[in-house]
Amino acid sequence: MNEDEVIRAKQAARAKVLALILGAFVVLMFAITIAKMSINQ
Amino acid sequence: MLALTKPRVMSLVVFTGLCGLLAAPVPVHPVLGFAAVLCIALGAGAAGALNQWYEADLDAKMKRTAKRPLPAGRMDPQTALHFGVGLAVFSVVLMDLAANHLAAAILAVSILFYVLVYTVWLKRRTAQNIVIGGAAGAFPPLIGWVAATGDVSALPILLFAIIFLWTPPHFWALSLFVRSDYAAAGVPMLPVVAGVQATRRQIALYTLPMSAAAVAPWAMGLTGWVYGAIASTLSLLFIVLSLTVLANRATEPAGMAPEKRLFAYSILYLFALFGALVVDRWAL
């Protein structure tokens, strides 16, 4: 693997981690919203 | 990135925060409770990251901390700073959304206290650094309680006091057997400034008000007998171990078995004490 490929692989790994974190954040915000609505009802 | 958040320290912070939340006399929606504890964890991680960013020069001089990401050169300082600030802001905003304004405000104060008062102001200037700075680590149960109830009462203040008074004997026990590390880095920890025996006396002295604070929730009728019995037993053992430290005359780490024992026990003590609080609240 040359240097460019190593850098690309690292970037791809970071992008996947970031995507997972953002996905988890969206799920958490959705769950918080639903929980708050259920408390206020 | 994870190492920047001091995960071992975070485990105690998360546990005490969770116990504060579970000890509150109101039911908490599981999702909101999870979010509040997550915010406490992220806030602690942010404070740890900013601490490591500011103290990279000190960490490089101490064996115990030289392998952290910044002194070891695995991360550049600017990334650590951005990560710490971003995580701090995110944790406070999320706490405000998931819990309430007061919990978010106390979380913000605890992060700022740890970074500005302890790390920047006190740590390199005074041997009382961890006495005052210990307040930062005492906030999590208070935050957990406030996230659940929205207000502050006697029990969470006592929980704050327990950790505040526990911090000096815990850290001074550690600093006794890593004294040369602190001396090499120029950090004025008590054993470096006042000597080994003076530190042992202070450990024994602080153990008394700490023990009083630990049994106070039971004595004041805020918890049941289960907590009272466990807190009394655990505190008595803490006092006995602190007396073995006081009786020790060793000046080199090799002869400091009592100090190492007390340090290890102090961690177990806090876990068990807060665990007992939750058991007392839920099991009876």
Side-chain angles (χ1 to χ4, degrees):
Chain A
M1 213 186 255
N2 64 34
E3 200 175 321
D4 266 3
E5 284 171 329
V6 171
I7 291 170
R8 290 267 151 75
K10 280 184 181 171
Q11 285 174 333
R14 275 189 209 138
K16 279 176 193 163
V17 170
L18 195 60
L20 281 173
I21 291 171
L22 285 172
F25 175 64
V26 170
V27 171
L28 182 65
M29 289 309 295
F30 177 74
I32 288 172
T33 307
I34 298 297
K36 286 242 166 189
M37 283 168 64
S38 71
I39 287 172
N40 292 332
Q41 274 175 359
Chain B
M1 204 68 101
L2 189 65
L4 207 59
T5 62
K6 299 188 179 179
R8 279 166 64 188
V9 175
M10 199 199 284
S11 65
L12 204 58
V13 166
V14 169
F15 184 74
T16 56
L18 176 66
C19 290
L21 187 111
L22 292 175
V26 291
V28 183
H29 193 290
V31 171
L32 301 181
F34 170 78
V37 174
L38 179 69
C39 291
I40 292 171
L42 295 179
L50 291 170
N51 169 275
Q52 288 194 39
W53 166 74
Y54 189 79
E55 291 189 345
D57 60 325
L58 278 186
D59 287 345
K61 293 176 189 165
M62 299 201 288
K63 263 187 283 178
R64 192 172 64 87
T65 53
K67 288 178 185 165
R68 284 176 175 174
L70 288 172
R74 296 197 304 277
M75 181 182 283
D76 74 286
Q78 201 176 25
T79 305
L81 176 64
H82 290 169
F83 175 71
V85 172
L87 201 59
V89 172
F90 177 74
S91 65
V92 172
V93 170
L94 189 63
M95 181 67 95
D96 191 59
L97 289 170
N100 51 63
H101 297 323
L102 185 57
I106 300 173
L107 180 62
V109 167
S110 71
I111 297 168
L112 289 172
F113 194 92
Y114 186 72
V115 176
L116 298 179
V117 177
Y118 171 67
T119 304
V120 175
W121 181 31
L122 295 172
K123 185 161 180 181
R124 302 184 197 220
R125 284 182 175 80
T126 168
Q128 296 300 307
N129 47 17
I130 51 134
V131 176
I132 305 163
F139 279 109
L142 182 63
I143 298 169
W145 179 285
V146 172
T149 65
D151 60 24
V152 180
S153 59
L155 184 56
I157 291 171
L158 283 172
L159 299 180
F160 178 95
I162 291 167
I163 303 182
F164 181 68
L165 293 165
W166 164 90
T167 305
H170 167 74
F171 272 107
W172 284 335
L174 169 74
S175 65
L176 277 169
F177 56 86
V178 296
R179 180 170 47 117
S180 57
D181 250 15
Y182 283 117
V187 181
M189 291 299 280
L190 196 62
V192 177
V193 175
V196 171
Q197 280 314 118
T199 305
R200 285 177 173 137
R201 276 195 298 277
Q202 290 297 317
I203 287 173
L205 282 174
Y206 265 87
T207 302
L208 300 176
M210 181 208 72
S211 299
V215 296
W218 167 69
M220 291 169 68
L222 300 170
T223 64
W225 66 270
V226 170
Y227 173 82
I230 294 173
S232 304
T233 309
L234 289 169
S235 299
L236 194 63
L237 188 52
F238 204 120
I239 291 170
V240 170
L241 289 177
S242 76
L243 290 176
T244 64
V245 166
L246 185 64
N248 192 15
R249 287 291 175 270
T251 54
E252 294 304 316
M256 292 190 179
E259 285 77 5
K260 290 172 187 170
R261 203 180 305 128
L262 180 66
F263 176 69
Y265 176 73
S266 66
I267 298 168
L268 174 72
Y269 173 85
L270 209 62
F271 271 110
L273 196 70
F274 277 78
L277 185 77
V278 175
V279 169
D280 187 90
R281 161 88 175 82
W282 287 89
L284 298 171

